[in-house]
């Protein structure tokens, strides 16, 4: 998808974010954010390429599960972080701290 199309989609979602039934708009916005994250490298890709895998393993995932799920987990967490904070995480530590505060702390 070209960048202009991404910008147009972002403007559309911004215009209709309060419309829709149930969670359909929110779900579409999240999936769009995941697509955008998938098209860009994380700032820590070269310095900490296994950060998400280590994080999942530290939270109890088996090494095989951590390895298998790390990419999807990282993309989703980068998207949630960006949607929640309005900024891009510059380190995986920012995501881990956000999870600790807003996911673990909310339980």
């Amino acid at each position: 998808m070209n960048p202009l199309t991404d910008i147009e989609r972002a403007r559309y979602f911004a215009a209709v974010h309060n419309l829709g039934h149930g969670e359909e708009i929110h779900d579409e916005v999240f999936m769009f954010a995941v697509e955008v994250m998938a098209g860009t490298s994380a700032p820590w890709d070269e310095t900490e390429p296994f950060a998400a895998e280590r994080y999942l393993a530290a939270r109890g995932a088996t090494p095989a599960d951590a390895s298998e799920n790390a990419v999807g987990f990282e993309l989703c967490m980068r998207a949630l972080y960006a949607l929640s904070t309005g900024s891009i995480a510059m380190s995986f530590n920012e995501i881990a701290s956000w999870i600790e505060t807003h996911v673990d702390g909310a339980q």
Side-chain angles (χ1 to χ4, degrees), residues 34-55:
V34 170
E35 285 178 37
V36 170
M37 294 303 156
T40 59
S41 297
W44 56 88
D45 272 359
E46 289 188 24
T47 57
E48 267 191 299
F50 302 106
E53 192 172 333
R54 283 194 309 274
Y55 178 84

Side-chain angles (χ1 to χ4, degrees), residues 40-76:
T40 59
S41 297
W44 56 88
D45 272 359
E46 289 188 24
T47 57
E48 267 191 299
F50 302 106
E53 192 172 333
R54 283 194 309 274
Y55 178 84
L56 290 173
R59 303 234 358 170
T62 65
D65 286 343
S67 179
E68 182 179 328
N69 295 307
V71 171
F73 173 77
E74 182 178 295
L75 286 174
C76 289

Side-chain angles (χ1 to χ4, degrees), residues 43-105:
W44 56 88
D45 272 359
E46 289 188 24
T47 57
E48 267 191 299
F50 302 106
E53 192 172 333
R54 283 194 309 274
Y55 178 84
L56 290 173
R59 303 234 358 170
T62 65
D65 286 343
S67 179
E68 182 179 328
N69 295 307
V71 171
F73 173 77
E74 182 178 295
L75 286 174
C76 289
M77 289 295 106
R78 286 174 57 204
L80 285 173
Y81 182 90
L83 290 170
S84 174
T85 66
S87 64
I88 302 296
M90 298 309 291
S91 71
F92 191 84
N93 254 3
E94 288 180 55
I95 291 175
S97 294
W98 182 85
I99 292 169
E100 184 178 332
T101 301
H102 299 284
V103 178
D104 295 343

